[in-house]
Amino acid sequence: MIKVMKAKANFFILAIVCLVFVSFNVQSQATYQLAPQPELKITGTSTLHDWEMVSKEATGEATLEVQDSKLQAVQKLTIVMPAESIKSGKAAMDKNAYAALDSKKHKEIRFVLNSMTSAGANTWHVKGNFTIAGVTKPASFDVKSSQVGTNYSFQGKYAFKLSDYNIDPPTALMGTVKTGNEVVVHFNIALQPSK
């Protein structure tokens, strides 16, 4: 009888430990959203001069795993930027860029995370898919992370060729000025707890 009671007690304790462990894991995952005013910039070259286009318009959602206020992993992440939100400050250049992106048909530039693994102190290796001008391609790059309060920030860049996304480098002045094929997306974003 005593052995049966001990077995039941042990089973009960084990069940409680498992329940607490599962509950902790569930509670450590939380939904976040992209904080306002992200810093998104695209840079490149041309036969005339280097150039940049900037956007501060994007939306995004993520699922983060946080333990003791420390980021453990990013389980899911999707960021969407309106294609016509990128601006150079020059109307003619913007028009050429939107035409190259076919922005009337493909209104968004999208990134969807596949995996994010630790690569050292506050450094992560990211793999995912970029969709630009309606073409989706795998992408991998490193990011740095930092924390301010309950927000987590990520800084990094992704270099690619326009031709990878079937984009013809824009030209100007009857073809005398041509954009370089290689461009870089720079980003500094913050994720905040969803309301």
Side-chain angles (χ1 to χ4, degrees):
M1 183 70 176
I2 294 175
K3 287 183 178 180
V4 171
M5 290 178 66
K6 283 184 176 179
K8 286 183 177 179
N10 289 339
F11 177 77
F12 183 71
I13 291 170
L14 181 61
I16 291 176
V17 169
C18 288
L19 183 61
V20 168
F21 180 76
V22 170
S23 297
F24 174 77
N25 278 346
V26 170
Q27 290 175 357
S28 68
Q29 288 189 356
T31 303
Y32 283 67
Q33 63 187 22
L34 195 66
Q37 298 292 304
E39 296 177 19
L40 306 166
K41 181 171 66 174
I42 301 173
T43 61
T45 62
S46 75
T47 51
L48 185 61
H49 55 68
D50 293 350
W51 56 268
E52 69 176 38
M53 301 184 76
V54 177
S55 171
K56 291 195 174 183
E57 297 178 33
T59 57
E61 293 183 348
T63 301
L64 306 187
E65 185 176 331
V66 179
Q67 183 175 340
D68 297 329
S69 298
K70 185 177 180 182
L71 181 65
Q72 301 296 314
V74 177
Q75 303 292 350
K76 297 179 181 178
L77 173 65
T78 299
I79 296 176
V80 179
M81 179 183 75
E84 293 190 4
S85 69
I86 53 174
K87 307 287 183 184
S88 66
K90 299 176 182 177
M93 181 175 173
D94 294 350
K95 183 179 179 180
N96 287 341
Y98 302 154
L101 292 170
D102 196 6
S103 61
K104 297 300 181 187
K105 183 178 180 181
H106 306 292
K107 297 183 181 298
E108 299 176 341
I109 294 172
R110 179 182 295 264
F111 175 76
V112 178
L113 179 74
N114 289 334
S115 67
M116 187 166 168
T117 54
S118 177
N122 300 320
T123 303
W124 306 82
H125 186 64
V126 174
K127 291 184 178 180
N129 289 319
F130 260 107
T131 300
I132 303 172
V135 176
T136 301
K137 292 284 187 179
S140 62
F141 48 90
D142 289 336
V143 300
K144 291 281 189 180
S145 66
S146 57
Q147 180 180 355
V148 178
T150 57
N151 289 9
Y152 297 92
S153 296
F154 300 90
Q155 305 85 33
K157 60 184 179 180
Y158 166 56
F160 64 96
K161 293 181 179 179
L162 294 173
S163 57
D164 292 341
Y165 293 88
N166 299 335
I167 299 171
D168 292 326
T171 60
L173 299 178
M174 296 174 30
T176 58
V177 178
K178 186 174 182 179
T179 301
N181 193 27
E182 295 184 356
V183 296
V184 181
V185 175
H186 309 257
F187 56 87
N188 184 358
I189 63 169
L191 297 173
Q192 63 185 17
S194 296
K195 297 178 180 179

